[in-house]
Amino acid sequence: CGIQDPVRPEVPEAIRKEFEKSYIQVAPMYRVLARKAAANALGCDPGEVFAFFDPAAFAAASLGQVHEAASPEGERLAVKLQYPGIRQTIGDDMRLIRATLGRLPDMRQIAPVFDEIEARLLEETDYLLEARNMAFFRDNLDVAGVHVPEVWAKGCRREILCAQRLPGLPLHQWLRTNPGQEARDAVAHRLNEVFLQSLYRLGRIHADPNPGNYLIAEDYSLGLVD
């Protein structure tokens, strides 16, 4: 006899759509605040670093948001800007969780889990580390039709990350265009190759499989971001 799929509770459509926005569409900072945050991160006005910097974000990112910019040489850039005070917020939230759950009888056993969560979240706020990881994958990942953006070091600090802007639609938006089976197979093959080569040859994996982090270009090539 065949194995039946387990019954899965379905999330109401209205709630699912709201969750989906978190891929790339959370509420952005006001333009004035974003420009000030960029200035604080860079240590100078964005105009001293970029030929153009759009204070209106075009996408959300992990613990921040993404802005369009251009280098003095005219290269299109994507600038990930961290939300102000996010490190303090993470620390405050983790202290609140520990205090709330501190009376659990097995708290001593699960306390290291909270330490690990906090360490990894704080690691996410180090955009210089992310820039090094991005450069590693660009230099070492060798999958046909897969592109990793080049880091633009002049615009990188711990709270701001700047890289080449790749073309394409985020994976979930691309799927809404109803691509044919051949196109779907090509993209799925590249996603699979990225994982296999990263794990077995490089010993590192792209560990944030958010659909917004995969950009699909018109030729079905894959842009790997974040």
Side-chain angles (χ1 to χ4, degrees):
C1 61
I3 298 175
Q4 295 183 347
D5 289 335
V7 177
R8 297 183 178 91
E10 293 188 1
V11 176
E13 183 66 12
I15 296 177
R16 187 196 65 77
K17 288 182 177 180
E18 289 301 312
F19 281 145
E20 186 176 306
K21 292 178 183 178
S22 66
Y23 294 156
I24 58 171
Q25 295 176 341
V26 298
M29 290 184 276
Y30 290 112
R31 294 184 180 213
V32 174
L33 179 58
R35 191 170 189 91
K36 182 178 180 181
N40 289 339
L42 292 166
C44 63
D45 186 84
E48 297 181 32
V49 178
F50 306 107
F52 166 76
F53 175 79
D54 189 349
F58 70 82
S62 302
L63 309 180
Q65 59 189 37
V66 188
H67 298 256
E68 183 177 8
S71 71
E73 296 76 27
E75 182 181 7
R76 292 187 69 196
L77 302 170
V79 180
K80 184 159 78 166
L81 181 62
Q82 193 172 123
Y83 294 135
I86 193 67
R87 290 180 64 86
Q88 180 66 43
T89 299
I90 291 171
D92 291 344
D93 287 348
M94 294 306 300
R95 279 191 291 273
L96 179 60
I97 291 173
R98 290 186 178 98
T100 302
L101 302 179
R103 295 183 179 277
L104 290 176
D106 55 353
M107 183 60 186
R108 293 182 62 183
Q109 294 181 341
I110 64 176
V113 174
F114 296 120
D115 295 339
E116 177 71 12
I117 292 172
E118 183 172 12
R120 298 289 75 78
L121 286 173
L122 291 175
E123 194 174 77
E124 280 278 303
T125 68
D126 186 352
Y127 286 176
L128 290 177
L129 174 61
E130 183 173 337
R132 293 194 294 271
N133 290 335
M134 187 182 295
F136 172 85
F137 278 102
R138 179 177 172 82
D139 292 341
N140 295 281
L141 188 66
D142 185 21
V143 178
V146 174
H147 308 289
V148 178
E150 182 177 4
V151 174
W152 196 68
K154 294 179 183 178
C156 293
R157 306 288 189 277
R158 194 181 76 166
E159 297 173 344
I160 190 169
L161 174 64
C162 188
Q164 168 192 16
R165 184 171 182 183
L166 298 179
L169 289 174
L171 178 60
H172 63 294
Q173 292 183 6
W174 179 74
L175 289 171
R176 290 183 190 146
T177 67
N178 295 317
Q181 191 60 52
E182 183 178 352
R184 291 169 179 262
D185 289 347
V187 170
H189 174 75
R190 286 173 177 141
L191 286 168
N192 187 57
E193 285 297 306
V194 165
F195 177 80
L196 292 177
Q197 188 179 124
S198 298
L199 179 62
Y200 291 109
R201 189 172 73 82
L202 303 181
R204 299 187 189 183
I205 60 172
H206 182 272
D208 190 0
N210 182 325
N213 291 337
Y214 304 116
L215 302 179
I216 314 303
E218 291 183 358
D219 61 357
Y220 311 137
S221 61
L222 174 68
L224 193 62
V225 300
D226 198 15

